Amino acid sequence: MPEPPTLGRATLTVEMVIRLCAEADLPALEWMGLFSPHRAVIRDAFEAQQRGDGLMLLALTAGFPVGQVWIDLARKRGEGTAVLWAVRTFPPLQGAGIGRHLMTAAERILRERGIHRAELGVERANEGARRFYERLGWREAGTLRETFRFTDPEGRILEEPLDQWRMVKDLDG
Ligand SMILES: CC(C)(COP(=O)(O)OP(=O)(O)OC[C@H]1O[C@@H](n2cnc3c(N)ncnc32)[C@H](O)[C@@H]1OP(=O)(O)O)[C@@H](O)C(=O)NCCC(=O)NCCS
């Protein structure tokens, strides 16, 4: 089927704000059902932020979280390393620079807290994301294989096997 003809086109300018997650943001982080199975994961990450063990950095336009980077401050605290995870941009807005702005903000916030090293995992099949991190100065430092376990809102325990590149960045470099 051919695509219907274009009837209009415009380039929009919208303001984006980056800030920490507030409790009122939690339902919107499910992205209209896309991440509803992760409801408890989202809540746990928020509680970690409340305890000082994590940060949930959000990029919002018109109050809606169009991008996120979460930071685990506890997992490798002894090594002076922060672990970034849940790096994602709302699908229709990927490729517009939101991820780059969020990663830059995350690195700045970590440096301000005296944290000079960060790492993250990227699925080995996700070449686009690996390219994205490399352009931001991250380098590969081996592989990571683990299982991400979580309980969905129906009480089912789900498991996602992860086969990842471990990416690291010296935040002073
Ligand atoms: C990877 C991702 C976080 C980047 O955020 P973004 O807002 O799209 O990034 P920017 O616009 O600042 O940078 C664009 C770059 O991101 C990468 N990218 C864009 N769309 C992507 C997608 N759907 N999946 C993976 N990488 C993508 C590409 O390297 C792109 O550069 P290119 O145009 O030269 O190919 C985002 O695309 C995303 O959420 N992808 C799906 C989830 C994901 O893979 N998260 C990373 C988990 S480790």
Side-chain angles (χ1 to χ4, degrees), residues 26-27 29-30 35-49 51 56 70 85 88 148-158:
L26 298 185
L29 294 185
E30 294 182 20
F35 280 94
S36 296
H38 284 196
R39 187 168 298 159
V41 179
I42 294 169
R43 165 63 62 181
D44 286 351
F46 181 71
E47 287 172 2
Q49 175 177 276
R51 287 195 305 274
M56 296 172 86
W70 301 355
W85 61 301
R88 50 187 178 240
F148 178 54
R149 279 189 195 80
F150 60 97
T151 305
D152 76 4
E154 279 72 47
R156 288 180 296 231
I157 296 170
L158 302 179

Side-chain angles (χ1 to χ4, degrees), residues 16-25 49 56-60 63-65 67 69 102 105 109:
M16 185 178 82
V17 170
I18 294 179
R19 64 158 167 77
L20 291 181
C21 180
E23 191 161 17
D25 297 316
Q49 175 177 276
M56 296 172 86
L57 217 55
L58 307 185
L60 302 109
F64 183 81
V69 172
L102 268 170
I109 289 164

Side-chain angles (χ1 to χ4, degrees), residues 31-159:
W31 281 355
M32 296 147 179
L34 201 56
F35 280 94
S36 296
H38 284 196
R39 187 168 298 159
V41 179
I42 294 169
R43 165 63 62 181
D44 286 351
F46 181 71
E47 287 172 2
Q49 175 177 276
Q50 299 300 87
R51 287 195 305 274
D53 286 340
L55 298 168
M56 296 172 86
L57 217 55
L58 307 185
L60 302 109
T61 58
F64 183 81
V66 292
Q68 343 180 9
V69 172
W70 301 355
I71 305 173
D72 186 337
L73 297 171
R75 189 161 160 186
K76 297 210 167 178
R77 187 174 267 141
E79 296 166 43
T81 300
V83 181
L84 274 57
W85 61 301
V87 179
R88 50 187 178 240
T89 294
F90 193 55
L93 297 173
Q94 288 171 6
I98 294 170
R100 182 173 50 81
H101 280 291
L102 268 170
M103 292 295 289
T104 305
E107 290 176 25
R108 192 189 66 242
I109 289 164
L110 290 174
R111 273 193 302 272
E112 285 167 2
R113 289 171 167 253
I115 298 169
H116 302 288
R117 196 175 153 83
E119 68 174 62
L120 57 82
V122 57
E123 278 300 295
R124 294 214 280 171
N126 195 347
E127 286 173 18
R130 180 175 163 155
R131 204 168 50 238
F132 165 75
Y133 295 124
E134 284 177 339
R135 236 186 277 126
L136 294 170
W138 293 70
R139 64 173 176 82
E140 184 237 301
T143 55
L144 280 174
R145 272 174 184 272
E146 51 192 12
T147 303
F148 178 54
R149 279 189 195 80
F150 60 97
T151 305
D152 76 4
E154 279 72 47
R156 288 180 296 231
I157 296 170
L158 302 179
E159 294 194 345

